[in-house]
Amino acid sequence: MKLKVTVNGSVYDVEVEVEEEVRPALGAINMGGFSGGSIAAPTTAKAPAGSASALTANIAGTVVKVLVSEGQEVKAGETVLVLEAMKMETEVTAPKDGKVAAVAVAVGDAVASGQVLLEWSEG
């Protein structure tokens, strides 16, 4: 690169070699369940969570829907409630067949990851 430099009123033609700084590429960044495309329609993710006698929250969030009641039979993979976290809805599904013994949360409740949502017995 050629430059004109003035020093104490004298003009000098100077040739300068400039090295380009190599910046690493970030690559793809996935946030939430979004992996490109339109974000106009909200998406939901199904996530089974639970243990032998209790169904626990796999994420912290707010309960927006409870789709089962005490005494109800559920099948593995059936959506039992919906949690919202960071404006994304996550459907919590039953990991196995069974009967709901107790519902430990209500719509509007804030839940922590690992908190018991439902208790159940084998069906």
Side-chain angles (χ1 to χ4, degrees), residues 4-26:
K4 284 193 178 202
V5 179
T6 304
V7 178
N8 294 330
S10 299
V11 178
Y12 300 93
D13 288 323
V14 180
E15 190 167 322
V16 178
E17 191 173 310
V18 179
E19 292 184 20
E20 292 289 326
E21 181 179 334
V22 178
R23 294 184 182 180
L26 291 177

Side-chain angles (χ1 to χ4, degrees), residues 2 21 26 42 45 60 68 72 95 113:
K2 291 188 179 185
E21 181 179 334
L26 291 177
V68 295
Q72 184 175 338
S113 181

Side-chain angles (χ1 to χ4, degrees), residues 32-123:
F34 183 69
S35 61
S38 173
I39 60 171
T43 61
T44 57
K46 291 192 177 199
S51 67
S53 64
L55 184 66
T56 58
N58 58 336
I59 59 170
T62 302
V63 178
V64 292
K65 292 180 190 172
V66 177
L67 304 171
V68 295
S69 58
E70 188 174 320
Q72 184 175 338
E73 295 284 335
V74 295
K75 298 285 182 191
E78 181 179 342
T79 301
V80 294
L81 59 88
V82 179
L83 294 177
E84 180 182 285
M86 298 177 62
K87 299 185 181 185
M88 295 282 296
E89 289 186 352
T90 300
E91 295 178 353
V92 179
T93 59
K96 60 182 180 178
D97 293 350
K99 184 176 184 178
V100 177
V103 178
V105 295
V107 172
D109 287 354
V111 297
S113 181
Q115 180 176 334
V116 173
L117 304 172
L118 304 174
E119 291 181 17
W120 57 348
S121 58
E122 295 296 320

